[in-house]
Amino acid sequence: MSENSIIDNETGKSNFIKEIIKEDLNNNKNDSRVATRFPPEPNGYLHIGHAKSICLNFGLAREFKGTCNLRFDDTNPSKEETEYVDSIQNDVKWLGFDWDDRLYYASDYYERLYEFAVVLIRKGKAFVCDLTADQMREYRGTLTRPGQESPFRNRSVEENIDLFRKMRNGEFKDGEKTLRGKIDMSSGYIVMRDPVLYRIQRSTHHRTGDAWCIYPMYDFAHPLSDSIEGITHSVCTLEFENNRPLYDWVVNECEAVHKPRQIEFARLNLSFTVMSKRKLLELVTKNYVSGWDDPRMPTIAGIRRRGYTPESIRDFADRIGVAKADNMVDIAMLEHCLREDMNRRAQRVMAVIDPVKVIIDNYPEDKTEHVEAVNNPEDESMGKREMPFSRELWIERSDFMEIPVKGYFRLAPGTEVRFKHAYYIKCVSVEKDDSGEIKVIHCTYDPDTRGGWSQDGRKIRGTIHWVSAAHAVEAEARLYEHLFIKENPDDLEDGADYKINLNPDSLKVIKKIYVEAFVEKCSPGDKFQFDRTGYFCIDPDTTKGNIVFNRTVPLKDSWGKIAGKNA
RNA sequence: UGAGGCAUCGCCAAGCGGUAAGGCAACGGACUCUGACUCCGUUAUUCCAAGGUUCGAAUCCUUGUGCCUCAGCCA
């Protein structure tokens, strides 16, 4: 997709962050410059919640003619991997955003961060502490009780400088010492109670290797990385609201040149799925799904494989808006965005998912003719194609009822329906097997209705899809439903696990469907509308002999609703 | 019994003292060679609650209530 398509998608919908930025611009803050960043930690795959943040940050930059950096917040080597930094870059690009040459890593700043820490120590604003993790927890106090100052809090500047250098030089064991900010042990903000700024941790970093054995904490590295990059508006999610005083403290006390402003918004929650990295990782590692890109996963990789388009995701991000109230967006909103996008663009295909045989008794046995089918009624420029029609066809089992219910206007004994693009067809009899299941529906066709029209103008209510049995190709279809059965899988009884809400029917594999033969020439990722059933795409699992389709989302089905109610 | 946030239709969400946008969902109806799409219509006398200020309040004040976040040497 081109840059232009992104701009065309912009709605300009207002939100409180844009208001803040406009005000800052009016007050000439930061020389009227806007710089944002998307700062993932490379410890997992991106999900749809990240997509909201990506669209927000890159969108703000575009709207205000600023820049948006991609920065990896890689300050905890024990959790981070190159596999993740690659997938993240791939996903951001796929969504349609470009960081140009502004790809950064917090690990690029380790030396400068160290210097900033020294500044803090010199000012008497940081100290080396010998407390163990357990001791520190005790000294920290509780939510309602102030903490106590560390006995190491009053070491001299010289001693702190010396100790901090020794920490860096590897003269202490992991966890033996920390560098802490000297702030306020009785603050209502727990994070201000002399927070740890550096810890000793001997693990190999995916970029800096073993060059360092001390690593800066998020609360120290993040504000300074923002400042180093000249970020003006540091947008993050609500759970960091409590960290903002520390963010400001670090930027101010370190006397950083640029003083970015942290703004928090509500992260996305989507119904019928989970969004936490811990849970997504568990679903992958314990094989509840096939991988990070399982089409049922809310990861970017998963929804891409499922068949979602970047346009539909961006549209979704626009529609849900940005605010500060906790939210749970209906997944129907996402599905709507995909349908709207695909309805406009998707090639139509006749595909029969639950086939039953139709024999046209009065059609010559050895004859094959070709009828013309519109590729996309929403877009004439997509042209037409030829479809083979012959005596034996497949239709959808649900498109025939031996004893039709009220309101049913598809095929039934004695009734006439239109086989889309082909002929008017009337059912004359059915053949069943011993169990009573219908094996063959015998029909007749009206040769004067070729193309699906009749001269006499008789009205036909039902139009159904079909494929020629001799010409269709067999394929596999994977039909997906929500990963969880509950709107909020985390809404649990005392101590229960969210996995009890996993939907056992989230994947249904249909081994043999019949599809128009031209799909054999298509490639993984290609997207279609299967007439009257849904949007599908070709899965990468496709092999020469076996085309695999993923159902991205079904078409809306008001008859299914009515029939469901009557049942 | 600490601190920081948030409360507008089933779900998102505008609204910034002048008399409740929009989208999704739902429900009617029209149209239809996709029971899709599209179109048209319906759905908050009311904005967490109660007081107050005002000619006038979802918007200002007061007092409550509910929900979220924080006690990692994670981010």
Side-chain angles (χ1 to χ4, degrees):
Chain A
M1 69 258 33
S2 67
E3 273 300 311
N4 283 333
S5 69
I6 297 169
I7 289 162
D8 291 343
N9 262 1
E10 180 137 18
T11 64
K13 190 169 170 178
S14 145
N15 64 51
F16 77 98
I17 299 180
K18 290 186 186 178
E19 294 305 315
I20 290 172
I21 293 179
K22 281 180 206 160
E23 199 185 314
D24 287 349
L25 252 21
N26 288 337
N27 295 332
N28 241 295
K29 276 195 183 169
N30 309 304
D31 306 319
S32 298
R33 188 173 53 83
V34 173
T36 60
R37 99 269 94 112
F38 174 63
E41 184 189 15
N43 67 345
Y45 277 65
L46 259 27
H47 55 61
I48 181 88
H50 293 108
K52 175 183 182 180
S53 176
I54 291 164
C55 292
L56 212 209
N57 278 295
F58 281 93
L60 288 171
R62 189 176 59 236
E63 182 161 341
F64 293 102
K65 303 202 181 342
T67 53
C68 181
N69 300 350
L70 174 61
R71 180 174 75 236
F72 288 100
D73 233 335
D74 55 350
T75 55
N76 185 359
S78 64
K79 290 186 171 183
E80 297 152 6
E81 292 174 27
T82 304
E83 175 194 351
Y84 298 131
V85 344
D86 294 341
S87 77
I88 288 168
Q89 293 188 53
N90 185 39
D91 290 348
V92 175
K93 277 186 204 157
W94 177 78
L95 274 172
F97 297 103
D98 188 1
W99 53 87
D100 296 316
D101 56 348
R102 298 179 312 279
L103 172 62
Y104 302 116
Y105 296 80
S107 53
D108 288 339
Y109 310 139
Y110 283 170
E111 192 61 49
R112 296 173 72 176
L113 262 15
Y114 181 87
E115 295 304 324
F116 275 120
V118 170
V119 169
L120 239 33
I121 295 171
R122 288 227 147 83
K123 290 172 69 176
K125 296 290 185 178
F127 65 99
V128 173
C129 185
D130 297 5
L131 253 28
T132 64
D134 285 343
Q135 288 171 323
M136 206 178 289
R137 192 176 311 116
E138 277 172 35
Y139 275 80
R140 187 153 35 228
T142 68
L143 294 176
T144 54
R145 223 182 317 283
Q148 291 172 264
E149 293 185 350
S150 162
F152 304 98
R153 200 176 200 257
N154 293 313
R155 291 215 249 231
S156 69
V157 169
E158 291 68 32
E159 188 183 4
N160 281 322
I161 297 269
D162 182 53
L163 255 16
F164 188 46
R165 197 191 61 242
K166 286 176 173 160
M167 280 171 64
R168 175 181 181 165
N169 290 344
E171 296 182 29
F172 305 113
K173 292 197 286 280
D174 285 12
E176 194 177 333
K177 284 181 167 47
T178 57
L179 181 75
R180 293 226 263 163
K182 196 185 288 186
I183 310 181
D184 177 6
M185 289 307 292
S186 62
S187 174
Y189 292 97
I190 307 293
V191 81
M192 295 296 268
R193 321 243 262 226
D194 290 5
V196 171
L197 269 20
Y198 270 88
R199 77 285 214 183
I200 304 171
Q201 185 182 116
R202 284 171 181 79
S203 60
T204 303
H205 188 279
H206 64 103
R207 296 188 77 240
T208 60
D210 297 319
W212 294 81
C213 66
I214 59 170
Y215 291 95
M217 300 289 289
Y218 165 86
D219 281 310
F220 185 71
H222 199 89
L224 292 172
S225 300
D226 282 344
S227 178
I228 288 167
E229 293 175 19
I231 300 302
T232 57
H233 301 269
S234 179
V235 178
C236 64
T237 45
L238 245 30
E239 65 269 27
F240 292 101
E241 273 179 320
N242 295 315
N243 301 54
R244 187 172 9 138
L246 180 52
Y247 184 103
D248 292 337
W249 183 90
V250 168
V251 163
N252 288 325
E253 295 298 344
C254 290
E255 288 163 35
V257 178
H258 295 289
K259 297 193 173 6
R261 170 174 188 174
Q262 178 177 303
I263 303 169
E264 311 87 8
F265 71 99
R267 69 186 321 143
L268 169 68
N269 294 296
L270 241 200
S271 61
F272 299 102
T273 190
V274 294
M275 216 66 97
S276 96
K277 270 190 188 172
R278 194 207 102 221
K279 290 175 185 143
L280 296 179
L281 181 65
E282 183 182 19
L283 294 175
V284 172
T285 55
K286 294 191 181 166
N287 295 314
Y288 289 99
V289 296
S290 64
W292 287 101
D293 68 343
D294 185 298
R296 293 165 294 181
M297 290 282 276
T299 50
I300 307 276
I303 60 188
R304 172 171 58 230
R305 183 166 171 189
R306 175 78 168 255
Y308 276 87
T309 60
E311 290 83 354
S312 66
I313 304 299
R314 279 187 247 125
D315 182 35
F316 174 70
D318 277 337
R319 285 175 188 249
I320 59 176
V322 178
K324 294 193 73 162
D326 293 325
N327 60 77
M328 169 78 73
V329 175
D330 192 339
I331 198 164
M333 183 89 91
L334 216 210
E335 295 170 345
H336 168 82
C337 293
L338 190 272
R339 288 195 190 103
E340 190 175 84
D341 187 26
M342 291 299 281
N343 179 53
R344 215 176 60 235
R345 312 156 47 177
Q347 162 78 50
R348 310 288 128 123
V349 185
M350 300 256 218
V352 177
I353 291 166
D354 182 18
V356 62
K357 178 70 72 69
V358 163
I359 296 178
I360 314 289
D361 293 338
N362 62 340
Y363 196 89
E365 258 178 65
D366 48 0
K367 181 176 172 183
T368 294
E369 65 181 307
H370 289 270
V371 298
E372 205 171 52
V374 174
N375 285 330
N376 181 354
E378 305 288 323
D379 181 0
E380 226 178 281
S381 74
M382 287 178 71
K384 296 177 175 175
R385 68 186 184 283
E386 302 256 281
M387 271 188 77
F389 182 90
S390 63
R391 189 165 191 267
E392 297 198 7
L393 311 164
W394 296 109
I395 68 165
E396 216 70 66
R397 200 164 274 279
S398 60
D399 282 339
F400 176 79
M401 274 188 110
E402 192 173 15
I403 305 163
V405 297
K406 187 168 172 285
Y408 188 81
F409 52 76
R410 276 113 95 149
L411 194 61
T415 69
E416 192 172 44
V417 298
R418 172 164 40 230
F419 276 34
K420 195 174 170 75
H421 304 309
Y423 289 102
Y424 289 4
I425 307 284
K426 190 183 282 185
C427 167
V428 292
S429 66
V430 298
E431 254 178 64
K432 296 182 187 173
D433 65 12
D434 297 339
S435 67
E437 195 189 23
I438 294 168
K439 282 292 155 203
V440 179
I441 302 167
H442 287 276
C443 298
T444 57
Y445 84 117
D446 178 350
D448 293 331
T449 57
R450 190 169 198 284
W453 290 108
S454 79
Q455 296 297 329
D456 60 19
R458 90 186 100 116
K459 282 280 181 202
I460 291 294
R461 189 72 198 278
T463 299
I464 67 175
H465 58 97
W466 54 274
V467 290
S468 167
H471 306 272
V473 295
E474 288 180 12
E476 174 180 330
R478 297 176 182 172
L479 310 183
Y480 302 102
E481 285 175 23
H482 301 148
L483 226 202
F484 291 86
I485 49 175
K486 223 172 164 182
E487 179 168 339
N488 178 5
D490 290 320
D491 179 20
L492 294 160
E493 306 283 301
D494 48 310
D497 188 277
Y498 73 99
K499 293 192 293 300
I500 63 168
N501 289 324
L502 241 11
N503 179 3
D505 302 317
S506 60
L507 168 62
K508 187 175 174 191
V509 178
I510 313 285
K511 281 292 177 192
K512 195 192 276 187
I513 68 170
Y514 293 104
V515 193
E516 285 183 65
F518 79 85
V519 298
E520 280 186 315
K521 297 196 286 281
C522 299
S523 317
D526 286 354
K527 298 170 177 62
F528 310 94
Q529 182 195 103
F530 283 3
D531 270 292
R532 302 207 304 133
T533 58
Y535 295 103
F536 287 74
C537 71
I538 299 183
D539 189 83
D541 280 351
T542 293
T543 57
K544 282 164 296 271
N546 187 40
I547 308 174
V548 178
F549 287 97
N550 292 320
R551 184 176 67 192
T552 313
V553 47
L555 250 33
K556 291 222 264 180
D557 177 17
S558 57
W559 169 248
K561 250 185 224 172
I562 296 164
K565 276 177 196 163
N566 293 340

